[in-house]
Amino acid sequence: MASNSSFLSPNFSEPGDFDEIYFEFGDFFVSEEAEFSEDQQVVSQCQQNSLFQVNDGGNLSSSVQKNNQRLKSTRVSFKTKSDRDVLDDGYKWRKYGKKMVKSSSNPRNYYRCSIEGCNVKKRIERMEEDSSYVITSYEGTHNHHALNQLSCSEM
DNA sequence: CGCGTTTGACCCGCGC
DNA sequence: GCGCGGGTCAAACGCG
């Protein structure tokens, strides 16, 4: 695994969890004024286990700016077609909230990484238009490794 | 008994 | 200032 890349969305250990997966880069940043350069694009995608590799110099949030000010957080979101809400992505999550959102009849679930000192958050909701899709969002960067971390180069 | 989930309350920012 | 929408807290509860 290249040293200048990181996996914001870690590996799913069970590819059969979903039928399709989309990376929604447009929803990556909170603000529409945020800018990102080419080296922050998604540079590769491992089809076998649906890994998404983001070349971000090791820490994407450190280079995202809005009006010359750093954004506090970045968010990666993608949707998967799955009948399972929570996909096993190699991290251990603890649910801390549930909310009905106005725009959708489906609830939104909030998860936090259960590793002490790691404040990465995860948000899961089903699409309003097609409830067979699950929208998963990650916020923050893990300060530790996943339990079953793999990299594209190792496959 | 330890840890995760549930669930209503609380909080906070924003628009009116 | 107030209400609303969305995010988080935390006590009670459940389960292994």
Side-chain angles (χ1 to χ4, degrees):
Chain A
M1 168 166 152
S3 59
N4 65 342
S5 64
S6 67
F7 296 101
L8 294 180
S9 58
N11 48 300
F12 294 103
S13 59
E14 301 179 51
D17 272 353
F18 48 84
D19 300 328
E20 307 167 29
I21 185 166
Y22 304 88
F23 192 92
E24 302 203 339
F25 206 67
D27 193 33
F28 206 108
F29 303 118
V30 181
S31 167
E32 71 283 352
E33 301 177 50
E35 294 182 359
F36 47 89
S37 55
E38 280 195 13
D39 61 0
Q40 292 170 316
Q41 304 283 345
V42 176
V43 293
S44 69
Q45 172 181 345
C46 297
Q47 297 290 350
Q48 286 91 344
N49 65 351
S50 296
L51 262 179
F52 289 95
Q53 182 177 6
V54 178
N55 181 3
D56 61 0
N59 188 350
L60 182 64
S61 60
S62 67
S63 54
V64 178
Q65 296 191 347
K66 171 190 175 185
N67 297 336
N68 293 326
Q69 278 189 325
R70 280 203 202 303
L71 287 178
K72 273 185 259 176
S73 61
T74 59
R75 186 150 46 220
V76 188
S77 78
F78 47 88
K79 72 183 176 199
T80 60
K81 187 172 187 178
S82 171
D83 52 4
R84 199 180 303 188
D85 287 339
V86 184
L87 307 176
D88 182 9
D89 54 14
Y91 289 99
K92 200 176 170 192
W93 301 96
R94 184 176 76 253
K95 180 188 275 194
Y96 68 92
K98 182 176 81 169
K99 195 76 174 181
M100 300 300 297
V101 287
K102 179 101 183 281
S103 57
S104 170
S105 57
N106 301 317
R108 176 180 292 170
N109 295 294
Y110 300 91
Y111 294 84
R112 205 193 304 274
C113 184
S114 55
I115 302 295
E116 164 128 25
C118 183
N119 59 351
V120 175
K121 282 173 271 191
K122 184 184 189 179
R123 171 193 305 183
I124 295 177
E125 67 179 308
R126 303 201 85 95
M127 282 181 66
E128 165 75 1
E129 310 83 54
D130 187 350
S131 61
S132 65
Y133 286 92
V134 180
I135 307 219
T136 305
S137 304
Y138 289 94
E139 185 172 330
T141 306
H142 291 281
N143 58 10
H144 57 93
H145 292 299
L147 305 175
N148 56 350
Q149 184 84 39
L150 294 171
S151 75
C152 287
S153 57
E154 289 169 358
M155 301 189 302

